């Protein structure tokens, strides 16, 4: 925790530190601590931290500075000790994408296989969705648990999914909200330190990172995504947390749904095994099993990756992953009957079909445009205080590489907002690129990064 400052005795000058970073120089631990503690305590205003963050965005940070920045954010709040919970505790984190509902799948799968998963998730950021918003679509589900409840639940059922509490890395919580509205999200040291400060605070022993790359990701090129992944893997291992990462494709949405309840339905059906095998959601399940298998490896439940894949698939097949999800919903106050009767959920006022103009092959489905359009439909926030309509979103009927006929329906959208229908129709139609020749499909999984370096996958 930050120490109380002694009034009138600040040894440093905030403007000097902003200038120092603006000129590309490195800050010391004392200087970072002074800035961040001042910010958390309300002595340094938003406008000065915004300016500092913009200087970081343009000038970057050295590896040493990124470690220090992470450590200062980590120690701005409490760190949870889960050593009395048996087992190697493992988490997964994605850097953010469109239609990315993998946390809803891997958490119960890995827990059902015997490895505890204490998961801290975030809300939607920019055009990307957030696991917390998806969980909120289950009536009654509570993600704002105290640290005491978090500890109790992970001990009792081996899985818990919560949001960042005010006790965990409060400096990151405040800075993250400021970055969202000041154009300073897409910075490798800022993203890496933000994610890792929270993860290091939660008492886990292993972490698998899913670092997205492509048009729907914050890092759009594989080179930048690899640099981000390497930085997070280095931070994790520097602080004694076994960390590895995969670079995965975000040039089209993941799975077939975008929007909170729609994504919940797809996830539940995949957990039940009625979807995701040899159908349009199979990319989603391929990535889910890959990440789950590596969580099982880090959790020392299996010795080989192939064993992890087999165990992960088995937990879906024998129903144990779905049962674990129901247990999680119940213990966190959610309405289990909403999950067991997916079709009885409220329907939106409008369900609109999107047709391609001419037939051919789907050569692209722009995830950034679909992410932005789903916000327009009500599925995300334009301002921090906006309420989300959990029913709103987009259902895809095709994936990149598939053939379409003239005027075929390629997507549907759900909304209560009649006034946005014409714009949404146009934007979703234009998000589909149809060509006469068959395109090459982008690889779903590109590389794996661990403390030894970058490896081609598979
Ligand atoms: N997720 C985080 O937790 N922090 C970022 O900066 C970006 C995504």
């Amino acid at each position: 925790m930050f120490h109380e400052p002694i009034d009138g005795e600040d040894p440093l000058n905030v403007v000097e530190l902003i200038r120092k970073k603006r000129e590309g120089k490195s800050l010391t631990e004392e200087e970072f601590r002074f800035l961040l503690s001042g910010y958390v305590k309300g002595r340094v205003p938003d406008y000065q931290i915004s300016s500092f963050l913009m200087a970081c965005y343009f000038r970057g940070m050295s590896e040493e500075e990124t470690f220090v920045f992470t450590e200062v954010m980590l120690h701005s709040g409490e760190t949870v000790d889960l050593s009395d919970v048996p087992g190697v505790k493992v988490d997964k984190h994605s850097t953010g994408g469109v239609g990315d509902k993998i946390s809803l799948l891997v958490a119960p799968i890995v827990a059902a296989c015997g490895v505890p998963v204490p998961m801290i998730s975030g809300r939607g950021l920019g055009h990307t969705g957030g696991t917390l918003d998806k969980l909120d679509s289950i009536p009654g589900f509570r993600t704002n648990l105290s640290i005491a409840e978090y500890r109790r639940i992970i001990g009792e059922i081996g899985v818990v999914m919560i949001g960042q509490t005010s006790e965990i890395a409060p400096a990151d919580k405040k800075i993250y909200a400021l970055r969202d509205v000041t154009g300073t999200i897409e910075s490798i040291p800022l993203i890496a330190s933000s994610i890792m400060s929270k993860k290091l605070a939660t008492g886990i022993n292993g972490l698998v990172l899913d670092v997205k790359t492509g048009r729907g990701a914050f890092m759009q090129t594989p080179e930048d995504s690899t640099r981000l992944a390497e930085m997070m893997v280095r931070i994790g291992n520097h602080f004694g947390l076994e960390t590895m990462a995969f670079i995965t494709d975000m040039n089209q949405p993941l799975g077939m749904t975008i929007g909170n309840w729609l994504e919940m339905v797809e996830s539940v059906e995949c957990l039940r095994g009625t979807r995701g095998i040899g159908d349009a959601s199979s990319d989603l399940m391929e990535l889910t099993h890959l990440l789950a298998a590596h969580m099982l490896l880090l959790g020392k439940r299996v010795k080989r990756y192939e064993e992890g894949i087999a165990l992960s698939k088995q937990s879906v097949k024998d129903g144990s992953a779905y049962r674990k999800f129901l247990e999680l919903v119940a213990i966190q106050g959610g309405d289990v009957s909403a999950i067991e009767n997916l079709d009885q959920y409220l329907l939106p006022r409008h369900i609109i079909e999107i047709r391609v103009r001419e037939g051919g092959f789907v050569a692209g489905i722009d995830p950034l445009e679909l992410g932005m359009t789903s916000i327009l439909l009500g599925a995300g926030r334009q301002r921090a205080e906006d309420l989300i309509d959990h029913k709103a979103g987009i259902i895809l009927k095709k994936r990149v590489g598939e053939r379409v006929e003239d005027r075929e329906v390629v997507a549907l959208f759900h909304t209560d907002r009649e006034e946005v229908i014409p714009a949404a129709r146009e934007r979703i139609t234009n998000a589909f690129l149809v060509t006469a020749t068959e395109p090459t499909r982008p690889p779903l999984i590109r590389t794996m990064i661990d403390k030894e370096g970058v490896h081609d996958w598979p």
Side-chain angles (χ1 to χ4, degrees):
M1 289 287 215
F2 288 133
H3 297 297
E4 277 304 320
I6 307 164
D7 279 346
E9 288 193 14
D10 282 344
L12 298 165
N13 178 309
V14 179
V15 180
E16 281 301 313
L17 300 184
I18 297 172
R19 279 206 197 103
K20 192 170 172 185
K21 186 38 75 190
R22 190 191 68 196
E23 282 156 22
K25 296 186 184 130
S26 290
L27 267 61
T28 64
E29 180 170 347
E30 187 198 3
E31 290 168 334
F32 276 125
R33 200 174 297 284
F34 166 75
L35 267 184
L36 297 195
S37 70
Y39 185 47
V40 171
K41 305 278 180 202
R43 285 181 303 130
V44 178
D46 279 352
Y47 54 80
Q48 285 189 310
I49 295 296
S50 306
S51 169
F52 176 73
L53 291 169
M54 192 55 90
C56 294
Y57 175 91
F58 280 114
R59 289 302 197 162
M61 284 186 197
S62 67
E63 179 169 299
E64 194 49 40
E65 271 185 299
T66 312
F67 289 166
V68 168
F69 193 67
T70 308
E71 187 165 18
V72 172
M73 294 214 285
L74 162 67
H75 290 118
S76 66
E78 271 182 41
T79 50
V80 187
D81 180 2
L82 292 181
S83 54
D84 55 343
V85 176
V88 183
K89 275 81 46 188
V90 179
D91 191 4
K92 183 276 334 177
H93 190 84
S94 153
T95 54
V98 177
D100 181 359
K101 65 264 312 161
I102 288 199
S103 293
L104 302 174
L105 295 158
V106 290
I109 287 177
V110 173
C113 297
V115 171
V117 184
M119 191 177 266
I120 300 237
S121 303
R123 301 219 169 266
L125 185 67
H127 63 282
T128 67
T131 303
L132 288 187
D133 296 325
K134 294 170 206 189
L135 290 169
D136 280 352
S137 74
I138 306 172
F141 195 97
R142 288 174 52 233
T143 51
N144 59 341
L145 306 181
S146 65
I147 297 287
E149 287 174 295
Y150 166 83
R151 293 172 57 85
R152 176 181 63 79
I153 295 175
I154 190 68
E156 262 176 48
I157 67 163
V159 58
V160 60
M161 296 179 87
I162 67 165
Q164 187 178 7
T165 69
S166 51
E167 297 127 300
I168 290 179
D172 169 68
K173 196 168 187 200
K174 236 181 137 178
I175 287 178
Y176 184 92
L178 193 60
R179 284 173 51 218
D180 194 18
V181 290
T182 54
T184 48
I185 290 288
E186 301 88 343
S187 147
I188 290 174
L190 294 180
I191 297 178
S193 52
S194 164
I195 293 176
M196 296 308 291
S197 62
K198 291 186 280 266
K199 295 293 159 186
L200 289 165
T202 58
I204 51 171
N205 313 105
L207 177 64
V208 179
L209 294 162
D210 179 7
V211 179
K212 300 288 182 201
T213 195
R215 189 150 159 80
F218 290 123
M219 295 292 131
Q220 299 206 341
T221 65
E223 294 73 30
D224 280 347
S225 304
T226 304
R227 287 200 296 130
L228 173 61
E230 286 179 305
M231 181 50 81
M232 289 194 288
V233 168
R234 277 204 290 273
I235 296 174
N237 290 302
H238 174 81
F239 287 97
L241 171 62
E242 198 173 345
T243 307
M244 61 175 306
F246 284 91
I247 306 292
T248 72
D249 184 63
M250 189 31 73
N251 282 302
Q252 64 177 323
L254 192 54
M256 302 305 283
T257 55
I258 304 163
N260 301 289
W261 179 252
L262 295 175
E263 292 190 44
M264 184 59 70
V265 171
E266 183 176 11
S267 306
V268 168
E269 289 176 351
C270 286
L271 280 174
R272 286 182 188 157
T274 54
R275 189 169 175 166
I277 303 162
D279 65 12
S281 298
S282 45
D283 274 8
L284 172 65
M285 287 315 282
E286 183 186 337
L287 191 49
T288 294
H289 291 308
L290 172 99
L291 297 171
H294 284 86
M295 291 169 78
L296 294 170
L297 275 170
L298 290 188
K300 314 264 184 278
R301 174 69 179 79
V302 295
K303 290 206 170 63
R304 288 174 39 249
Y305 156 71
E306 293 77 10
E307 261 181 272
I309 292 280
L311 204 58
S312 175
K313 288 187 174 169
Q314 180 59 27
S315 75
V316 173
K317 207 166 165 201
D318 65 19
S320 55
Y322 178 55
R323 284 195 300 278
K324 187 55 79 178
F325 186 67
L326 292 180
E327 235 183 298
L328 173 72
V329 171
I331 207 165
Q332 295 200 207
D335 180 356
V336 172
S337 71
I339 299 297
E340 290 194 297
N341 305 286
L342 294 170
D343 50 356
Q344 285 173 26
Y345 200 77
L346 290 180
L347 280 176
R349 270 191 225 134
H350 307 281
I351 299 182
I352 311 287
E353 288 179 346
I354 299 291
R355 293 172 189 272
V356 284
R357 296 180 184 103
E358 278 180 15
F361 290 93
V362 178
I365 306 176
D366 185 342
L368 177 58
E369 194 53 14
L370 294 186
M372 294 310 292
T373 309
S374 65
I375 296 176
L376 189 70
L377 299 174
R381 298 178 190 82
Q382 268 156 354
R383 288 164 310 179
E385 61 277 19
D386 286 351
L387 288 180
I388 284 185
D389 174 2
H390 291 119
K391 310 182 297 303
I394 303 170
I395 301 176
L396 304 175
K397 295 286 178 193
K398 295 284 173 187
R399 293 194 67 71
V400 170
E402 284 189 75
R403 182 184 275 287
V404 282
E405 304 302 327
D406 288 352
R407 306 287 309 147
E408 187 174 345
V409 175
V410 288
L412 302 170
F413 66 87
H414 288 194
T415 190
D416 278 356
R417 298 182 177 170
E418 192 168 352
E419 68 285 5
V420 305
I421 292 175
R425 182 183 278 127
E426 171 142 358
R427 290 180 72 165
I428 300 173
T429 307
N430 292 338
F432 279 83
L433 173 67
V434 177
T435 54
T437 50
E438 190 170 354
T440 46
R441 296 176 199 216
L444 177 62
I445 299 146
R446 289 174 168 268
T447 45
M448 190 252 261
I449 292 143
D450 60 14
K451 54 182 179 236
E452 267 85 54
V454 181
H455 315 268
D456 284 342
W457 188 268

